């Protein structure tokens, strides 16, 4: 077992690591570990890479594993974290919603989603939050029934990363 105590960097944001990743991919020296959103915030994780390397990650409190994080870099291998995609609901306001209705609708959406204790991400005026099954969409359609003329709800399977500060629930 290899012990890891820090994340080296990310191939998606560090051009030098990205170049090294590309080079090691050509030589078949890249290994991947799958990490769920819930595991991404844990400071102790044990994982086995897709090529059988046994890893024990013990990270600093507050650490978070992102898609593309390099957890091991050596001459013989690079181990990269791949975040698992998950089903999310995506809610957007209809284009024809009146200016008077925007705040009312947004507050009611926030209230309902907040009561469900879901982490959220807001991108381009759309709210994303994880769901466990497609049947939950029917539940949200019922909960949002009074807003149905002002919103659109759809689902997608993506790597979900909550907005900072909107991923933890506490009373």
């Amino acid at each position: 077992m290899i012990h890891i105590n820090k994340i080296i960097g990310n191939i998606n944001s560090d051009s030098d690591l990205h170049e090294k990743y590309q080079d090691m991919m050509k030589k078949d020296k890249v290994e991947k570990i799958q990490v769920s959103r819930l595991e991404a915030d844990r400071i102790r994780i044990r994982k086995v890479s897709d090529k059988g390397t046994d890893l024990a990650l013990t990270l600093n409190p507050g650490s978070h594993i992102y898609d593309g994080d390099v957890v091991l870099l050596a001459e013989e291998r690079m181990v990269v974290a791949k975040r698992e995609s998950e089903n999310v609901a995506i809610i957007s306001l209809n284009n024809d919603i009146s200016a008077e209705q925007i705040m009312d609708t947004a507050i009611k959406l926030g209230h309902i989603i907040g009561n469900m204790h879901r982490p959220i991400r807001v991108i381009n005026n759309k709210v994303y939050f994880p769901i466990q099954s497609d049947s939950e969409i029917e539940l949200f359609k019922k909960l949002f029934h009074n807003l149905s003329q002002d919103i659109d709800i759809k689902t997608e399977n993506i790597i979900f990363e909550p907005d900072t500060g909107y991923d933890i629930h506490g009373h």
Side-chain angles (χ1 to χ4, degrees):
M1 178 180 350
I2 299 172
H3 293 273
I4 307 293
N5 60 13
K6 68 177 182 173
I7 295 168
I8 296 164
N10 191 293
I11 62 170
N12 299 318
S13 59
D14 181 321
S15 58
D16 291 335
L17 271 178
H18 183 74
E19 191 174 310
K20 183 77 170 165
Y21 170 78
Q22 295 292 343
D23 182 53
M24 292 186 88
M25 278 291 286
K26 291 175 189 168
K27 298 174 183 173
D28 195 31
K29 292 184 176 186
V30 173
E31 300 180 30
K32 296 175 180 148
I33 57 170
Q34 291 290 329
V35 180
S36 72
R37 176 176 47 86
L38 298 175
E39 290 175 314
D41 286 327
R42 292 179 47 198
I43 59 171
R44 288 187 184 89
I45 306 172
R46 185 159 182 192
K47 287 287 180 180
V48 176
S49 78
D50 61 344
K51 293 185 179 177
T53 302
D54 192 8
L55 303 164
L57 287 82
T58 305
L59 305 172
N60 292 327
S63 294
H64 183 85
I65 299 173
Y66 294 94
D67 188 59
D69 278 350
V70 177
V71 298
L72 176 66
L73 181 56
E75 191 65 36
E76 70 279 1
R77 75 175 64 104
M78 173 187 272
V79 180
V80 178
K82 297 303 291 176
R83 288 286 302 279
E84 295 173 357
S85 62
E86 61 187 302
N87 290 328
V88 298
I90 305 167
I91 300 177
S92 57
L93 298 178
N94 291 334
N95 290 333
D96 60 352
I97 188 171
S98 70
E100 296 82 33
Q101 276 300 110
I102 290 176
M103 180 168 288
D104 183 67
T105 302
I107 289 171
K108 288 175 181 172
L109 281 173
H111 177 75
I112 293 167
I113 296 169
N115 277 337
M116 300 298 283
H117 307 292
R118 300 299 169 99
I120 64 166
R121 178 155 194 127
V122 179
I123 304 172
N124 298 328
N125 296 321
K126 294 179 183 175
V127 179
Y128 296 74
F129 57 92
I131 58 172
Q132 280 127 23
S133 68
D134 288 338
S135 64
E136 277 192 297
I137 289 299
E138 295 309 312
L139 168 67
F140 280 103
K141 285 181 179 179
K142 287 178 186 175
L143 291 171
F144 299 142
H145 174 72
N146 292 337
L147 305 173
S148 62
Q149 70 280 0
D150 297 325
I151 64 171
D152 180 50
I153 305 171
K154 61 182 182 177
T155 62
E156 196 172 321
N157 190 276
I158 62 171
I159 295 172
F160 175 74
E161 195 64 58
D163 283 338
T164 303
Y166 296 90
D167 55 346
I168 299 171
H169 173 74
H171 281 275

